[in-house]
Amino acid sequence: MSDAGMVFETIHGRVQPLEWLVLAPHPDDAEIGAGGTLVRLARAGRAVGILELSRGERGTQGSPEVRVAECARAAGIMGLAWRGQLGLPDGELRDTLEGAHALAAALRAVRPRVLVVPHHRDRHPDHFGSYHLSKRAVHLAQLAKADLPGDPHRVSRVLLYQGNADIIPNVLIDVADVQDVWAQSVLAHESQFSGAAISETVTPEIVERRRARMTYWGTMARVRYAEAFEAEDALLVDPLTL
């Protein structure tokens, strides 16, 4: 498959069916919220990827050109099968029909089994806007009569990841063994994490701050570090694994 005629741009790897896809409102959001899980899956031979919804062009630090290079570098560190950018306007991510059509077409192209999206309780407007945009796009992608390129695709599972606000997760994933690679992937976004602190996330202390959360969730799961997610639908669990 190729992305010829599609609205998204491939910046790493090739368009292919993915096991997991993380939607990132801006470059670096996926690494911060779900990077350890992606590294762990990639190491297990699973095809995983990230789709940036915007280029982060309104961010205080960095430029779209610098940030796309950082995204490509981080993708290589993580072992992603694919990374793309949708190019929606930074600061204006919300549930629009045009944006949902573009995202739904991308979902049909890379056909993720599990889709990971920002939590709707996040304080950042682009993050909770991305959540609502993804809900419409997931619905459109599966409709046989939707006016979209590609064959219909039904996402099997949607998980929400932690961004700038606390969440009450019902899925915890052990990421203790991939901490070094995860930290390298985050710090590959040098324009955001090597200069002055702009916010609680755009700061040189980002790894320390996120690792504190991982330590907390790891304590809940009785492991060293864990990433936290929320499944909106009930998970079917084999009692023999409990």
Side-chain angles (χ1 to χ4, degrees):
M1 285 184 282
S2 74
D3 50 348
M6 301 300 293
V7 294
F8 60 81
E9 173 189 2
T10 291
I11 64 169
H12 175 85
R14 63 180 179 85
V15 175
Q16 60 188 284
L18 300 174
E19 279 287 306
W20 285 50
L21 175 67
V22 179
L23 298 185
H26 317 98
D28 73 44
D29 284 330
E31 284 86 343
I32 293 172
T37 300
L38 290 179
V39 172
R40 181 172 172 182
L41 288 165
R43 282 189 169 185
R46 303 299 179 90
V48 296
I50 295 171
L51 177 63
E52 265 81 40
L53 300 183
S54 81
R55 301 179 189 279
E57 65 272 13
R58 292 183 177 175
T60 302
Q61 299 179 159
S63 67
E65 295 76 18
V66 166
R67 300 195 75 180
V68 72
E70 293 170 343
C71 284
R73 189 177 311 122
I77 292 170
M78 301 170 79
L80 301 184
W82 178 79
R83 188 168 197 157
Q85 291 195 340
L86 199 58
L88 299 178
D90 185 13
E92 301 177 27
L93 298 179
R94 59 186 185 277
D95 179 13
T96 66
L97 188 58
E98 181 180 5
H101 271 252
L103 180 52
L107 294 178
R108 285 188 171 190
V110 297
R111 313 186 73 76
R113 183 178 64 84
V114 177
L115 184 68
V116 189
V117 306
H119 202 285
H120 53 77
R121 284 202 297 270
D122 198 295
R123 64 163 180 77
H124 195 303
D126 274 352
H127 288 224
F128 63 71
S130 296
Y131 165 84
H132 293 288
L133 174 65
S134 71
K135 296 289 281 189
R136 184 192 293 262
V138 166
H139 175 70
L140 288 173
Q142 67 188 354
L143 298 181
K145 294 183 179 180
D147 185 17
L148 296 168
D151 295 327
H153 174 68
R154 182 185 296 272
V155 172
S156 297
R157 174 75 61 187
V158 175
L159 299 177
L160 315 184
Y161 67 88
Q162 186 175 27
N164 300 298
D166 200 8
I167 66 172
I168 304 174
N170 50 20
V171 178
L172 296 174
I173 295 178
D174 184 353
V175 292
D177 290 344
V178 297
Q179 282 297 295
D180 289 346
V181 179
W182 166 75
Q184 291 172 31
S185 73
V186 172
L187 296 178
H189 297 274
E190 186 176 359
S191 67
Q192 305 304 297
F193 306 129
S194 63
I198 303 299
S199 68
E200 70 270 26
T201 49
V202 182
T203 171
E205 299 175 348
I206 184 62
V207 168
E208 177 185 352
R209 292 187 177 205
R210 291 303 301 202
R211 192 167 276 155
R213 294 189 184 187
M214 290 180 177
T215 300
Y216 173 75
W217 296 123
T219 300
M220 300 296 103
R222 299 179 184 177
V223 299
R224 182 80 181 273
Y225 301 108
E227 281 183 336
F229 302 91
E230 182 180 323
E232 292 187 296
D233 299 319
L235 292 169
L236 181 64
V237 177
D238 182 347
L240 297 178
T241 66
L242 294 177

